[in-house]
Amino acid sequence: TADHRIRINPGIFYYDYKNYQATAFTVVNGTLGVQVINKDAIVYGAEIDTWANLAEGLDLTFGAGYVHTKVKDVTNVGAGVAITQNRELGSAPHFQGSGTLRYEKEIFDGNLSNQASLSYTASRFVDVLNDPATKLPAYFNLDYNITYEANTGWHVSLYVKNLTNNTKPLQKFNFASLYNTGQVNYAPPRYYGAEFGVRF
């Protein structure tokens, strides 16, 4: 479409699992262990990938996806009263999206490119037990890099990861019934770097 300057690839999916196997860290009777869960599950959703050439040397890519998950009759056997109900899969946010804006230009017998990448991940549970204490929040991430690649085969790049310094939690564990403890693992803070390489 638009003289081959735009590509759009949509898709939908539906999965019906029998005895879907999932694992989760749990504390039962004061003992930390791994619970293996085999239950029927349904997963469905939609996704789209797009690419557009906005101007000479300027490209935009974008992708997004929505997913709905249901694992049937899962019993949370942690602290408190055990409850059996339908739950969501772990690490399965309802929505994810990402986009990249890239500009490339020939210069000094090579190519100079600037690229910014933005991604979004919605809130999600860490595992199929869906403990509210370990639900991970939604977050954005922004990266940027500038690269010069010479026609003779060498390149140099300067980059920054997590430009907004969003140190979001990426994993949580709730061991409250075991000495009232827990653990949170965070994403790395903003950091800079450089790379030099040669292609033989």
Side-chain angles (χ1 to χ4, degrees):
T1 59
D3 295 327
H4 304 288
R5 295 177 62 183
I6 299 175
R7 289 197 301 265
I8 302 175
N9 299 308
I12 59 174
F13 54 88
Y14 180 90
Y15 300 101
D16 189 348
Y17 295 97
K18 299 299 181 184
N19 294 318
Y20 180 88
Q21 186 176 86
T23 60
F25 284 103
T26 58
V27 178
V28 181
N29 298 323
T31 301
L32 174 63
V34 176
Q35 179 183 357
V36 179
I37 299 164
N38 288 91
K39 297 290 184 178
D40 293 345
I42 293 175
V43 178
Y44 63 83
E47 56 190 10
I48 186 170
D49 291 306
T50 64
W51 169 85
N53 176 230
L54 304 180
E56 184 177 356
L58 182 62
D59 293 334
L60 173 67
T61 59
F62 173 78
Y66 170 82
V67 64
H68 175 85
T69 66
K70 180 173 72 173
V71 186
K72 301 177 182 179
D73 301 327
V74 176
T75 301
N76 191 333
V77 295
V81 179
I83 299 176
T84 299
Q85 63 184 30
N86 295 338
R87 303 180 190 272
E88 299 178 17
L89 284 174
S91 301
H94 287 293
F95 179 80
Q96 288 182 293
S98 63
T100 297
L101 187 64
R102 177 184 177 87
Y103 179 71
E104 184 171 324
K105 182 178 179 62
E106 292 186 12
I107 187 172
F108 301 134
D109 295 323
N111 290 295
L112 180 67
S113 64
N114 289 266
Q115 179 171 301
S117 300
L118 177 67
S119 64
Y120 172 78
T121 301
S123 61
R124 67 274 183 215
F125 292 102
V126 297
D127 57 40
V128 74
L129 298 182
N130 292 184
D131 182 353
T134 61
K135 190 172 185 178
L136 299 170
Y139 71 91
F140 286 93
N141 186 74
L142 178 62
D143 298 332
Y144 174 78
N145 77 71
I146 179 170
T147 299
Y148 177 76
E149 183 169 2
N151 294 333
T152 52
W154 62 269
H155 74 272
V156 60
S157 298
L158 302 175
Y159 61 84
V160 55
K161 302 289 187 180
N162 190 10
L163 184 62
T164 60
N165 199 31
N166 183 6
T167 53
K168 58 274 181 184
L170 297 181
Q171 188 64 279
K172 289 184 179 181
F173 300 99
N174 180 16
F175 307 139
S177 60
L178 184 64
Y179 308 115
N180 197 31
T181 60
Q183 180 176 322
V184 181
N185 299 332
Y186 292 91
R190 177 175 54 232
Y191 65 96
Y192 307 86
E195 177 185 283
F196 176 80
V198 178
R199 185 178 67 250
F200 297 98

